[in-house]
């Protein structure tokens, strides 16, 4: 497995692969890998192996997708552990650039080109975390230009992110197929996330409230469609009953357009963000 730190070296390798017609699968991550990431890597590996292709994993905690009061500084990082995990999965290249390589001049105010999706990114995570998706689309566009993959795998856990990236790829004609792989959950339903490491034992127990809320919504729509306003009110109360939890948002929407719905039926998408203590967790599912 090769570990590449510089943009120029990664771009050169990607170019030489392209010239030789090598099929490339890409898994962008912010590191501190867990089973959720490994499932994305395995999906990429399964797709490239029959074609003798390559899998590239990027590990980069992208500063531009964090707000000023968010957890950029304390986001968990352990490159050596990540590299061991990637090696064990048979990854061909880990691209782990430094800030200096990815954003030369950012701190000095000499980086001024961003990619902005203006519709799907407005609600939910976009409304709660202003500037977040601008950072995501910018770094993903940069990574696609550097790695030049045939396809990229993203997790369904960040459903809105995946739809925003799909739209960016369609609008800006990136020749990259976007694959969205299912959320991986702990046995008690908590969606795997690097941020789960922030949780103390009581918070970890409380964090299942996100999945329990999804299950409650599922049960509510099993028999018949229900009003989104009523179901939201019920789930708000349900989450309020968990003392360590503070709701940020719950939305019911169409899976692809992300347009909110008035009536929730089977097949409607739910997404929610909840603070458990200081830790902000998100989850979503198709009901
Ligand atoms: O989903 C993530 O881990 C990040 O948002 C991504 C796509 C790697 C961009 O930094």
């Amino acid at each position: 497995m090769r570990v590449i730190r510089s943009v120029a070296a990664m771009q050169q390798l990607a170019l030489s692969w392209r010239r030789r017609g090598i099929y490339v699968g890409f898994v962008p991550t912010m590191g501190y890998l867990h089973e959720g990431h490994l499932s994305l890597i395995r999906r990429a590996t399964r797709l490239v192996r029959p074609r003798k292709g390559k899998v590239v994993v990027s590990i980069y905690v992208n500063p531009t997708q964090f707000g000023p009061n968010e957890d950029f500084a304390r986001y968990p990082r352990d490159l050596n552990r990540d590299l061991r995990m990637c090696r064990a999965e048979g990854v061909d290249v880990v691209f782990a650039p430094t800030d200096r390589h990815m954003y030369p001049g950012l701190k000095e105010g000499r980086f001024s080109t961003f990619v902005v999706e203006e519709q799907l990114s407005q609600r939910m995570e976009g409304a709660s975390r202003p500037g977040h998706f601008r950072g995501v689309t910018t770094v993903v566009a940069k990574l696609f230009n550097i790695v030049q993959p045939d396809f990229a795998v993203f997790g369904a856990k960040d459903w809105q992110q995946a739809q925003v990236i799909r739209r960016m790829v369609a609008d800006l004609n990136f020749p990259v197929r976007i694959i969205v792989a299912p959320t991986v959950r702990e046995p008690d339903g908590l969606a795997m996330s690097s941020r789960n490491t922030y949780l103390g034992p009581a918070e970890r127990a409380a964090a299942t409230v996100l999945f329990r809320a999804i299950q409650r919504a599922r049960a509510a729509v099993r028999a018949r469609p229900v009003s989104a306003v009523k179901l939201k009110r019920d789930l708000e109360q349900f989450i309020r009953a968990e003392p360590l939890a503070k709701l940020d948002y719950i939305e019911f929407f169409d899976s692809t357009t992300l347009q909110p719905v008035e009536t929730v039926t089977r097949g409607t998408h739910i997404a929610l963000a909840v603070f458990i203590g200081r830790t902000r967790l998100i989850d979503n599912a198709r009901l």
Side-chain angles (χ1 to χ4, degrees):
M1 185 179 83
R2 278 183 69 177
V3 180
I4 298 183
R5 308 283 305 196
S6 100
V7 167
M10 183 69 241
Q11 217 159 19
Q12 240 166 39
L13 180 63
L15 206 63
S16 79
W17 283 343
R18 188 146 288 272
R19 284 202 198 99
R20 287 152 56 204
I22 290 174
Y23 189 58
V24 178
F26 179 41
V27 182
T29 81
M30 297 208 298
Y32 215 73
L33 304 181
H34 50 66
E35 276 299 318
H37 296 113
L38 298 188
S39 77
L40 310 182
I41 293 173
R42 286 172 195 150
R43 178 76 170 264
T45 306
R46 274 203 306 279
L47 288 168
V48 304
R49 284 304 169 244
R51 301 171 70 160
K52 296 195 173 15
K54 305 281 185 193
V55 172
V56 179
V57 173
S58 66
I59 296 177
Y60 180 62
V61 185
N62 171 37
T64 63
Q65 70 188 75
F66 290 80
N69 300 318
E70 294 185 350
D71 56 343
F72 173 67
R74 68 180 189 123
Y75 195 84
R77 295 161 168 89
D78 189 342
L79 184 60
N80 286 333
R81 174 180 164 278
D82 290 343
L83 293 180
R84 278 197 301 277
M85 291 168 83
C86 287
R87 208 168 277 123
E89 292 300 323
V91 168
D92 297 287
V93 172
V94 169
F95 175 50
T98 61
D99 286 342
R100 194 169 50 82
H101 280 110
M102 273 310 265
Y103 291 106
L106 181 71
K107 284 198 181 112
E108 298 79 20
R110 276 185 288 101
F111 181 94
S112 54
T113 306
F114 291 87
V115 177
V116 182
E117 191 288 326
E118 295 189 336
Q119 285 174 8
L120 306 178
S121 61
Q122 298 303 300
R123 304 174 66 86
M124 299 189 281
E125 289 305 284
S128 288
R129 304 182 64 190
H132 168 67
F133 282 122
R134 180 178 90 140
V136 170
T137 40
T138 299
V139 82
V140 171
K142 283 167 72 66
L143 289 167
F144 284 177
N145 283 334
I146 296 164
V147 176
Q148 300 180 38
D150 293 283
F151 69 87
V153 191
F154 293 85
K157 152 97 180 351
D158 295 295
W159 185 262
Q160 187 181 11
Q161 166 175 282
Q163 302 316 310
V164 167
I165 288 167
R166 269 195 205 289
R167 178 64 68 83
M168 175 191 83
V169 160
D171 287 351
L172 300 185
N173 308 99
F174 280 95
V176 181
R177 180 158 75 102
I178 301 300
I179 295 172
V180 182
T183 302
V184 178
R185 298 182 180 279
E186 300 284 359
D188 62 5
L190 177 65
M192 293 212 178
S193 161
S194 306
R195 290 191 168 97
N196 293 350
T197 54
Y198 298 150
L199 303 168
E203 291 173 336
R204 171 63 187 79
T208 59
V209 75
L210 284 90
F211 184 62
R212 286 186 280 121
I214 290 174
Q215 295 294 68
R216 191 173 170 90
R218 260 199 187 118
V221 300
R222 195 159 289 142
R224 71 191 75 81
V226 294
S227 135
V229 171
K230 279 195 185 140
L231 187 52
K232 207 184 250 187
R233 213 174 290 141
D234 171 73
L235 294 180
E236 280 167 2
Q237 243 172 39
F238 178 74
I239 291 167
R240 219 175 292 132
E242 173 53 68
L244 294 177
K246 188 165 166 287
L247 180 66
D248 182 352
Y249 66 76
I250 304 183
E251 292 228 11
F252 298 104
F253 55 90
D254 174 88
S255 295
T256 316
T257 64
L258 306 189
Q259 276 307 305
V261 295
E262 285 179 8
T263 306
V264 184
T265 62
R266 290 163 77 146
T268 299
H269 218 101
I270 179 176
L272 70 170
V274 179
F275 283 93
I276 304 291
R278 281 174 63 204
T279 304
R280 185 172 179 281
L281 299 178
I282 58 172
D283 203 347
N284 75 86
R286 206 179 149 96
L287 296 176

